[in-house]
């Protein structure tokens, strides 16, 4: 529905009204969801395309709602971003993922990175670096096994500060990935100033890389760019053998997507890791 006068919403847009209503209800219920143990972390493997080994897992948050079932982050992250709840939720995800990665190592599973998404709101917190440092200390996870994923859009609002914060995070010894690469508006001039290790090619390009010459061209250019800046390169959203073959031939380092595995609960991934460690 088109935007109309504010006062007209309730009379002419019952659909929008229902959406707003649902959002308000979710927003209310999201408060305290961490305390009620309704927030979960799912894990999705990142595969080294040369060795075919799992080299990392991305932590992806889920909300186990008492009546709606599993709520996708696409639905509640924007709400949590808007009201600031993303800060405690994001911190909980980070702590949970780091503690879990440490527990896997103690259980004898071959060490892998754990990758955690950072939101704009978290990045704005003045104590972000201290929070990350503290969580690493608390969980005993070696910093090189933690990766944080940031997006261009929120780095570009204050590039000077962003470079400074990223630098401090790098000095902790953790890895940094630029997520959803190719969808933002960043100037290449800024990119070379960002102290990052990894580019993640956005799923929208990978999706039709074998059918759309434009997506293929963008993908090729991103891979070439990453190589010339000596950054690692991951493709997200790999769903088919053809996409995988394409990316592998072009020299992509890592892949993530339903072709390998969907995001799965902790017990499932633990089982998968144990089996591949035994091989
Ligand atoms: P993202 O960071 O780009 O994460 C990748 C998303 O792509 C995940 O969706 C994943 O399930 C999905 N995906 C992976 N492989 C495939 C594939 O082959 N095909 C398709 N169709 N999809 C694939 P998910 O888990 O629903 O998360 C959506 C977004 O929510 C994430 O996008 C991220 O922006 C945000 N998010 C998730 N967890 C967190 C978190 O802990 N903190 C923050 N700030 N944001 C999070
Ligand atoms: Ca991500
Ligand atoms: Ca992404
Ligand atoms: Ca995305």
């Amino acid at each position: 529905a088109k935007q109309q006068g504010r006062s007209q919403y309730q009379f002419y847009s019952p659909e929008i009204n229902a959406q707003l209503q649902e959002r308000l209800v979710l927003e209310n219920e999201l408060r305290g969801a961490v305390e009620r143990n309704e927030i979960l972390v799912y894990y999705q493997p990142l595969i080294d395309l040369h060795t075919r080994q799992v080299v990392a897992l991305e932590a992806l948050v889920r909300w186990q709602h008492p009546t709606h079932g599993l709520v996708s982050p696409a639905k509640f992250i924007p709400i949590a971003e808007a009201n600031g709840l993303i800060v405690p939720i994001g911190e909980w995800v980070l702590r949970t993922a780091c503690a879990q990665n440490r527990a896997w190592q103690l259980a004898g599973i071959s060490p892998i990175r754990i990758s955690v998404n950072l939101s704009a709101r978290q990045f704005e917190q003045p104590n972000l670096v201290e929070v990350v440092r503290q969580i690493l200390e608390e969980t005993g996870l070696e910093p090189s096994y933690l990766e944080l994923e940031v997006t261009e859009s929120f780095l570009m609002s204050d590039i000077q500060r962003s470079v400074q914060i990223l630098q401090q995070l790098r000095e902790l010894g953790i890895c940094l990935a630029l997520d959803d690469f190719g969808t933002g508006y960043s100037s290449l001039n800024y990119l070379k100033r960002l102290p990052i290790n990894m580019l993640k090619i956005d799923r929208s390009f990978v999706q039709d890389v074998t059918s759309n010459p434009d997506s293929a061209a963008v993908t090729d250019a991103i891979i070439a760019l990453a190589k010339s800046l000596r950054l690692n390169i991951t493709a997200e959203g790999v769903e088919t053998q053809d996409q995988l073959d394409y990316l592998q031939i072009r020299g992509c380092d890592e892949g993530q997507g339903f072709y390998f595995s969907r995001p799965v609960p902790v017990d499932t991934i633990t089982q998968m890791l144990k089996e591949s460690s035994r091989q």
Side-chain angles (χ1 to χ4, degrees):
K2 276 214 177 98
Q3 170 133 8
Q4 300 168 343
R6 179 183 285 264
S7 60
Q8 291 178 326
Y9 270 145
Q10 63 201 101
F11 301 110
Y12 295 113
S13 281
E15 231 169 77
I16 289 187
N17 216 14
Q19 277 175 21
L20 282 176
Q21 197 65 40
E22 193 198 2
R23 193 184 157 110
L24 279 177
V25 170
L26 279 184
E27 174 165 2
N28 257 330
E29 293 173 337
L30 193 55
R31 286 175 209 289
V34 168
E35 289 74 16
R36 293 190 303 271
N37 294 319
E38 291 169 9
I39 304 295
L40 308 173
V41 181
Y42 272 36
Y43 296 91
Q44 187 181 33
L46 278 74
I47 310 296
D48 182 316
L49 297 189
H50 311 291
T51 65
R52 292 298 173 104
Q53 299 284 317
V54 175
V55 281
L57 298 173
E58 180 170 1
L60 293 159
V61 72
R62 298 288 182 267
W63 179 14
Q64 183 68 62
H65 188 281
T67 53
H68 301 182
L70 217 53
V71 183
S72 115
K75 210 158 200 175
F76 72 89
I77 293 277
I79 299 176
E81 269 282 344
N83 65 14
L85 277 175
I86 189 65
V87 175
I89 292 174
E91 196 176 314
W92 182 86
V93 170
L94 179 63
R95 181 173 290 109
T96 302
C98 287
Q100 185 59 61
N101 201 20
R102 175 72 177 145
W104 282 320
Q105 291 180 3
L106 291 174
I109 284 164
S110 323
I112 51 175
R113 303 188 321 268
I114 190 82
S115 199
V116 180
N117 293 283
L118 216 55
S119 82
R121 278 290 190 108
Q122 285 175 283
F123 198 75
E124 284 166 9
Q125 300 297 304
N127 65 347
L128 170 69
V129 177
E130 182 51 26
V131 166
V132 174
R133 196 198 59 74
Q134 222 171 322
I135 288 177
L136 286 168
E137 187 181 290
E138 207 180 286
T139 58
L141 182 68
E142 198 182 301
S144 59
Y145 293 115
L146 173 63
E147 179 168 68
L148 293 179
E149 299 192 3
V150 297
T151 59
E152 302 166 81
S153 51
F154 71 73
L155 295 180
M156 295 308 148
S157 63
D158 183 350
I159 184 80
Q160 203 99 344
R161 178 180 178 272
S162 297
V163 169
Q164 213 169 27
I165 303 289
L166 295 179
Q167 196 66 55
Q168 290 170 14
L169 290 168
R170 290 283 291 129
E171 279 161 15
L172 292 178
I174 70 174
C175 305
L176 297 173
L178 201 50
D179 201 2
D180 301 342
F181 191 75
T183 60
Y185 305 95
S186 79
S187 139
L188 297 181
N189 195 34
Y190 288 144
L191 182 63
K192 70 172 190 218
R193 288 178 51 196
L194 298 178
I196 52 169
N197 312 80
M198 168 88 81
L199 292 183
K200 294 187 82 170
I201 307 174
D202 191 68
R203 176 155 60 86
S204 56
F205 304 114
V206 176
Q207 208 166 35
D208 53 5
V209 74
T210 55
S211 58
N212 178 344
D214 291 341
S215 289
V218 172
T219 300
D220 293 356
I222 295 175
I223 294 174
L225 179 67
K227 295 214 175 291
S228 65
L229 292 174
R230 283 180 298 278
L231 299 172
N232 273 324
I233 181 99
T234 300
E236 57 178 33
V238 180
E239 292 186 354
T240 69
Q241 176 77 53
D242 286 350
Q243 291 164 353
L244 173 60
D245 290 344
Y246 184 95
L247 294 160
Q248 198 159 22
I249 287 167
R250 299 295 155 135
C252 196
D253 300 301
E254 296 175 12
Q256 171 183 10
F258 295 173
Y259 179 77
F260 302 108
S261 168
R262 287 179 179 259
V264 292
V266 61
D267 292 346
T268 311
I269 200 78
T270 301
Q271 206 50 47
M272 287 164 61
L273 292 173
K274 277 185 178 156
E275 275 159 24
S276 63
S277 285
R278 237 180 270 127
Q279 283 170 4

